[in-house]
Amino acid sequence: MNQISKLFFVIIFINSYGIFAQKKIIQAKLTAEKITIDGKFNEAVWNTAPIATDFIMYQPDNGKSVNENRKTEVRILYDNEAVYISATLYDDEPSKILKEITQRDNVGTADVFGVFINGFNDGQQDFQFFVSASGVQMDRLATEDGQVSPNNFDQDFSWDAIWDSEVKLTDTGWAVEMKIPYAALRFSNANVQTWGLNFYRGIRRDRQHYTWNPINTQTESVRNQSGVLEGIENIKPPTRLFFIPYSSYYYEKNQSGSANKFKVGMDLKYGINDSFTLDAILVPDFGQTKFDNVILNLSPYEQQFTENRPFFTEGTDLFSKANLVYTRRIGAAPKFVPEDFDASTETVIDKPATVNLLNAVKISGRTKNGLGIGFLNAITEKTYGTIENTVTGEKRKGIVEPLTNYNVLVLDQRFNQNSSVSLTNTNVMRNGHYRDANATALLFDLNTKNNDYNLSGDFKYSQVYTAEDYNGFKTSLNFEKTKGKYRYSVFGKYISGKYDINDLGIAFQNNYHNVYADASYRILNPTKWFNTFRMDLKSSIEIQNTTGKIQDNFYNFGAEGNSVNNDYYKIFVQINPLTTFDFYQPQVTGRYSYVPRSFSSFFVFSSNYNRTFAIDIQPSVKFYDENRRIDYGFYVSPRYRVNDKILLIYSFNYFRNLNDRGSVYVANTLNDIYYTQRNVKTITNEFSGKLALNNKMTINLTARYYWLALQNKRNFILQNNGYVTDAAFVPDLDENFSAWNFDLSYSWWFAPASQITVLYRNNAQDYSQIIDHSFGNNFKNLFSENLNNIFSVSFRYYIDYNTAKRWF
């Protein structure tokens, strides 16, 4: 390399370092003039405010300055009530600005402007506010590092604040005006405020993301790369008190008859101080939450469902930190029998599908010194089922779920803006002589000053109190290189045989130890072919503690990236080179069954959603080292955006398991464990449609049809060595299951964070041990007598105490 070339690279390095090393600062301007949020910036005071500009690309070409014809200019004002933001977003091709209208908190296919505010300037939690070019609002709490764009749903979009915004499309681009009341933020009571601040702009048609203060993608830490807002003085944190009263009406009709139900309740949010917030629900109502995608579960593990209840999703980052909390446990289906239950002569013939939640409260926040504190308490009611005596036929009521108290406590100390030590405790107490449980976790997450390396680990201890108490533990350690093109990690964990967190958490496996390693390469700036690209190589081995047998072992390779046309590709291959043993499929403690060697692969193609028509495709296949055993499937999902208001999405998923093997219950005097060799066919059809009447009002349709057919072909008996021997064919082991869900809803955000929803829902399930291979007949059978219809109307109004007190 000649001297000129060396000098050139030194200059490039120095410039790049300078871009990311310095924090930008902007001054807020005090205003006595009333600001009207209309997107026009007509008030004269706007012209006196300093300008934040010179945005830097975050992705795909990290560190590149924005073109002059697409520059962004932002100004900030403040008064005793709120901060005000005006943003002028220039675009040399304004007719190409994408502006799909969506529901609140859904960016869709649209350009976006965002503001990130940290009132303590501590790099720990951002309050993020986005507005799309169609005027749709999005807001979230960002407590974990990740992508800054609103397309990253790892952050908490369930958080909704009261704020105002307006958008105007112009001949030179578009403009955004925002009013963010202090009640929507957290900050100290200091006379002179210094806030962490960043601005975001997404240009959707080019998939380009820009920020005002540069963010270096070579490191995973994002929140501590914000700029600084100064100039705000002599303001006081307002009383953060919000009431969310609601009322709802339900009409339900099925083959058993019809019923009307009316509910009234209220949620409460109160800012205890400038750091902590109390949330409470009184007489909760979750009747309009999204339906669960129920399947016929052939695995030995329970089906895990997504949490859709807002109280248990909003602001819960602290509670999920140790992975000890699975909130679907709270209010789940009853799982006990009465204390005086006689298993030899009695059976439970009927019980509710869920347990009613009486009330719940949570307190969460973080001090200016970085100590995060979270407390959650929920109480579910005593629930009865119907018990039948199998000898006399007599029926009685009995407790199938006692009055239960769930508690979570979290202490999380952050330091150096990128590291933390946490303590979490969960406790479940049931009234009477039922099972109680307690679990505690100590975690640490340490990063070097420049976020080059990470060392993290945990120690968890579980206690279960039953007729025979038991306890267990889990511990893990992870070392990772987190910066640069080349990264790697090494991970190990040990879980004891009686580790059990399933009273409030969820853990499928225990009694094993594991070693895992991976290495990856990624491009940090676009190339001739790709805007983003990465490759990963991973390896893992799991060994069962008691027997020393290998229960899992794999090596896999994956490569994925976005092309210059912003189409997404991924290829994945995995080899399981060793015969392993499954300690869970037999569903009997101490027993295990062999799993043959295998090779699997899948391919993903997702075309650019900016196009009017786009499609997702994913074929997959898995070959086993066992006679004629193979899994294969095909997923396809076309989507068509008719215009900015109408979007239609259909998905079809077809999957076959040929000569699959699994345990099956067969009553026998020798207590042998039976296995079935089976062919399984699973077909899932889903359709969704959205009609946006405007940026506050949408009509949404979601439908799902699921069908699984299982044909028993051959039977075996499991031997003590984990292998099977032939058994006589067992009849009546075929299974045929169908499930249908349909939601049609109208949603109107008639005021900030306030909503009216009208929902029509029907659902049905059908199970038989006679297989009908006709797709049409299975679909038809669902509606013959199993259909459940629900019509509901819900009204929720968000009241800010600071606004309400003026009414009087």
Side-chain angles (χ1 to χ4, degrees):
M1 181 182 291
N2 58 39
Q3 295 300 318
I4 294 177
S5 298
K6 291 181 180 179
L7 179 63
F8 174 78
F9 281 105
V10 170
I11 293 173
I12 291 295
F13 173 79
I14 292 174
N15 286 341
S16 299
Y17 180 81
I19 287 175
F20 295 114
Q22 297 180 353
K23 287 181 176 288
K24 292 182 177 179
I25 301 174
I26 187 173
Q27 299 289 321
K29 176 77 174 180
L30 177 65
T31 178
E33 189 175 358
K34 178 177 174 57
I35 306 298
T36 301
I37 305 301
D38 55 12
K40 297 179 181 179
F41 320 147
N42 288 332
E43 295 81 7
V45 68
W46 282 120
N47 296 321
T48 66
I51 299 175
T53 188
D54 297 328
F55 280 45
I56 301 297
M57 190 179 294
Y58 170 67
Q59 286 180 336
D61 200 354
N62 186 236
K64 181 180 180 181
S65 298
V66 67
N67 292 332
E68 181 68 18
N69 54 15
R70 293 188 183 176
K71 67 180 180 180
T72 304
E73 296 180 344
V74 187
R75 296 174 170 87
I76 298 182
L77 304 174
Y78 78 98
D79 58 19
N80 290 327
E81 181 185 356
V83 291
Y84 304 85
I85 295 101
S86 72
T88 304
L89 302 102
Y90 292 92
D91 197 311
D92 57 334
E93 297 178 290
S95 62
K96 294 184 178 180
I97 294 174
L98 295 174
K99 48 186 182 300
E100 181 188 357
I101 305 174
T102 63
Q103 285 183 296
R104 196 181 199 277
D105 288 332
N106 188 347
V107 64
T109 306
D111 283 22
V112 175
F113 172 77
V115 180
F116 306 165
I117 297 176
N118 182 326
F120 294 99
N121 192 29
D122 56 6
Q124 297 180 38
Q125 183 182 64
D126 284 348
F127 290 76
Q128 300 185 348
F129 306 85
F130 300 92
V131 184
S132 73
S134 59
V136 175
Q137 288 186 347
M138 295 147 275
D139 44 20
R140 71 183 180 191
L141 295 178
T143 57
E144 301 297 331
D145 285 317
Q147 294 183 348
V148 300
S149 80
N151 300 87
N152 175 26
F153 285 92
D154 291 337
Q155 308 291 359
D156 183 10
F157 274 97
S158 63
W159 176 74
D160 288 323
I162 294 180
W163 54 290
D164 198 9
S165 63
E166 192 62 51
V167 165
K168 290 293 181 184
L169 300 175
T170 68
D171 293 336
T172 58
W174 58 297
V176 181
E177 194 167 17
M178 304 166 68
K179 175 185 178 181
I180 303 176
Y182 297 134
L185 303 171
R186 307 270 182 91
F187 54 91
S188 72
N189 56 6
N191 289 331
V192 177
Q193 299 286 326
T194 301
W195 293 358
L197 177 75
N198 217 339
F199 302 114
Y200 164 83
R201 180 180 180 181
I203 301 176
R204 177 69 187 193
R205 68 180 180 275
D206 295 326
R207 297 290 184 98
Q208 292 177 346
H209 307 276
Y210 295 87
T211 58
W212 168 61
N213 199 78
I215 295 177
N216 188 350
T217 57
Q218 289 198 44
T219 177
E220 292 184 356
S221 178
V222 170
R223 295 186 314 278
N224 58 5
Q225 297 190 62
S226 293
V228 177
L229 174 64
E230 297 179 344
I232 298 180
E233 299 180 356
N234 301 316
I235 64 169
K236 296 298 180 184
T239 300
R240 291 188 292 114
L241 177 58
F242 306 96
F243 304 94
I244 308 100
Y246 72 83
S247 62
S248 54
Y249 165 76
Y250 295 88
Y251 172 75
E252 184 171 2
K253 182 179 180 181
N254 52 41
Q255 59 183 358
S256 301
S258 61
N260 293 276
K261 185 188 300 182
F262 184 75
K263 286 188 175 182
V264 177
M266 185 171 69
D267 294 354
L268 172 70
K269 295 178 182 291
Y270 174 60
I272 300 172
N273 54 28
D274 56 5
S275 299
F276 294 94
T277 300
L278 179 147
D279 293 82
I281 50 175
L282 310 173
V283 194
D285 176 26
F286 302 123
Q288 290 194 337
T289 54
K290 184 180 182 296
F291 59 77
D292 292 322
N293 291 335
V294 177
I295 64 172
L296 182 62
N297 189 4
L298 302 180
S299 79
Y301 315 113
E302 65 177 298
Q303 183 180 357
Q304 185 172 359
F305 295 109
T306 302
E307 180 59 86
N308 296 312
R309 297 171 294 181
F311 178 85
F312 294 109
T313 60
E314 179 183 331
T316 56
D317 58 291
L318 276 174
F319 303 106
S320 59
K321 199 170 185 69
N323 290 321
L324 290 181
V325 180
Y326 173 49
T327 54
R328 289 298 296 265
R329 298 282 185 218
I330 303 172
K335 61 180 181 180
F336 293 99
V337 296
E339 291 180 315
D340 59 352
F341 183 78
D342 186 349
S344 64
T345 61
E346 289 185 315
T347 183
V348 179
I349 62 172
D350 184 49
K351 59 183 178 181
T354 58
V355 175
N356 287 332
L357 176 66
L358 295 177
N359 55 64
V361 62
K362 65 181 181 229
I363 298 173
S364 61
R366 192 175 293 276
T367 68
K368 63 181 180 181
N369 295 320
L371 177 61
I373 302 175
F375 171 73
L376 184 149
N377 173 265
I379 300 174
T380 57
E381 72 175 1
K382 181 165 60 177
T383 304
Y384 291 87
T386 302
I387 315 300
E388 182 179 59
N389 189 301
T390 56
V391 177
T392 65
E394 293 181 359
K395 297 178 182 178
R396 66 182 180 95
K397 293 293 183 181
I399 297 174
V400 291
E401 188 74 26
L403 180 72
T404 305
N405 189 300
Y406 299 88
N407 291 285
V408 183
L409 175 65
V410 182
L411 302 175
D412 177 51
Q413 179 64 59
R414 285 186 175 169
F415 51 93
N416 297 336
Q417 295 195 357
N418 65 358
S419 300
S420 66
V421 176
S422 306
L423 177 69
T424 299
N425 176 264
T426 66
N427 181 269
V428 180
M429 298 183 66
R430 298 181 173 94
N431 190 38
H433 299 287
Y434 293 89
R435 164 184 171 129
D436 297 328
N438 189 83
T440 303
L442 177 66
L443 298 84
F444 63 90
D445 184 6
L446 310 176
N447 292 277
T448 56
K449 182 177 180 180
N450 296 322
N451 294 294
D452 296 325
Y453 297 94
N454 170 268
L455 179 68
S456 60
D458 61 39
F459 179 83
K460 301 177 183 180
Y461 184 74
S462 68
Q463 299 166 287
V464 176
Y465 305 100
T466 61
E468 297 182 4
D469 299 347
Y470 61 92
N471 54 65
F473 71 93
K474 177 250 181 187
T475 186
S476 68
L477 185 66
N478 180 73
F479 177 75
E480 184 174 1
K481 183 179 184 293
T482 56
K483 189 174 182 180
K485 292 183 178 181
Y486 298 93
R487 304 183 190 186
Y488 59 83
S489 69
V490 180
F491 171 81
K493 67 179 174 182
Y494 182 94
I495 302 178
S496 70
K498 293 186 177 181
Y499 178 70
D500 185 355
I501 60 170
N502 287 302
D503 288 81
L504 186 50
I506 187 166
F508 295 134
Q509 300 179 352
N510 59 16
N511 199 29
Y512 72 94
H513 54 282
N514 164 240
V515 176
Y516 166 92
D518 71 53
S520 65
Y521 166 81
R522 71 207 64 205
I523 63 172
L524 302 177
N525 298 94
T527 66
K528 180 180 179 181
W529 300 103
F530 290 99
N531 283 333
T532 64
F533 179 79
R534 65 175 290 169
M535 296 186 296
D536 294 87
L537 183 64
K538 302 177 182 180
S539 174
S540 176
I541 185 168
E542 290 182 4
I543 300 175
Q544 206 263 355
N545 295 335
T546 306
T547 64
K549 292 183 178 295
I550 297 174
Q551 69 176 31
D552 190 28
N553 174 233
F554 67 77
Y555 300 89
N556 66 44
F557 170 80
E560 61 183 320
N562 288 87
S563 70
V564 291
N565 295 321
N566 288 307
D567 296 318
Y568 173 79
Y569 299 86
K570 181 174 183 177
I571 182 71
F572 176 88
V573 293
Q574 176 169 304
I575 182 171
N576 296 69
L578 303 175
T579 297
T580 57
F581 294 87
D582 188 336
F583 289 82
Y584 313 97
Q585 184 64 243
Q587 302 185 56
V588 174
T589 302
R591 301 298 299 274
Y592 50 88
S593 59
Y594 89 101
V595 179
R597 298 177 298 175
S598 64
F599 170 84
S600 60
S601 179
F602 67 80
F603 170 76
V604 177
F605 170 75
S606 179
S607 64
N608 188 348
Y609 287 0
N610 290 351
R611 302 180 186 124
T612 300
F613 177 82
I615 192 168
D616 297 330
I617 298 174
Q618 181 177 332
S620 61
V621 66
K622 185 172 185 178
F623 300 97
Y624 294 87
D625 186 19
E626 194 169 74
N627 187 30
R628 297 179 299 168
R629 183 174 178 182
I630 182 174
D631 301 337
Y632 65 91
F634 183 77
Y635 171 84
V636 59
S637 178
R639 57 173 56 212
Y640 180 60
R641 193 173 69 254
V642 180
N643 51 40
D644 287 337
K645 295 184 175 183
I646 301 175
L647 175 67
L648 306 174
I649 303 174
Y650 169 72
S651 66
F652 174 79
N653 194 359
Y654 178 87
F655 201 83
R656 290 297 305 268
N657 309 88
L658 298 180
N659 298 303
D660 180 54
R661 291 188 180 182
S663 63
V664 62
Y665 176 74
V666 176
N668 66 94
T669 57
L670 298 177
N671 293 323
D672 286 329
I673 300 174
Y674 275 73
Y675 267 57
T676 172
Q677 181 170 304
R678 59 204 179 186
N679 286 346
V680 183
K681 176 171 63 177
T682 308
I683 297 177
T684 306
N685 289 271
E686 294 180 295
F687 176 79
S688 64
K690 176 217 67 183
L691 169 61
L693 304 178
N694 53 48
N695 58 23
K696 302 284 193 303
M697 201 178 296
T698 57
I699 296 174
N700 295 276
L701 182 151
T702 304
R704 174 180 181 266
Y705 173 57
Y706 168 90
W707 173 39
L708 182 144
L710 182 155
Q711 183 180 15
N712 177 42
K713 299 181 63 181
R714 188 178 174 188
N715 297 112
F716 310 92
I717 293 177
L718 181 66
Q719 303 301 299
N720 289 330
N721 64 0
Y723 292 84
V724 296
T725 58
D726 285 318
F729 182 80
V730 181
D732 301 324
L733 292 182
D734 294 346
E735 295 186 273
N736 196 85
F737 176 75
S738 297
W740 163 259
N741 293 94
F742 176 90
D743 278 8
L744 178 62
S745 66
Y746 163 81
S747 179
W748 175 28
W749 292 87
F750 63 92
S754 303
Q755 185 179 23
I756 292 176
T757 305
V758 181
L759 171 67
Y760 170 69
R761 166 176 291 173
N762 64 45
N763 56 75
Q765 294 183 13
D766 182 66
Y767 176 82
S768 172
Q769 288 189 303
I770 300 175
I771 297 178
D772 188 338
H773 292 284
S774 169
F775 182 89
N777 287 343
N778 280 277
F779 188 73
K780 181 180 177 181
N781 291 340
L782 277 170
F783 300 94
S784 59
E785 56 183 24
N786 300 313
L787 194 63
N788 184 53
N789 298 275
I790 301 175
F791 174 79
S792 61
V793 180
S794 176
F795 172 87
R796 298 177 64 86
Y797 188 58
Y798 207 107
I799 301 173
D800 182 353
Y801 163 79
N802 300 286
T803 302
K805 67 182 181 181
R806 302 187 193 125
W807 300 345
F808 304 99

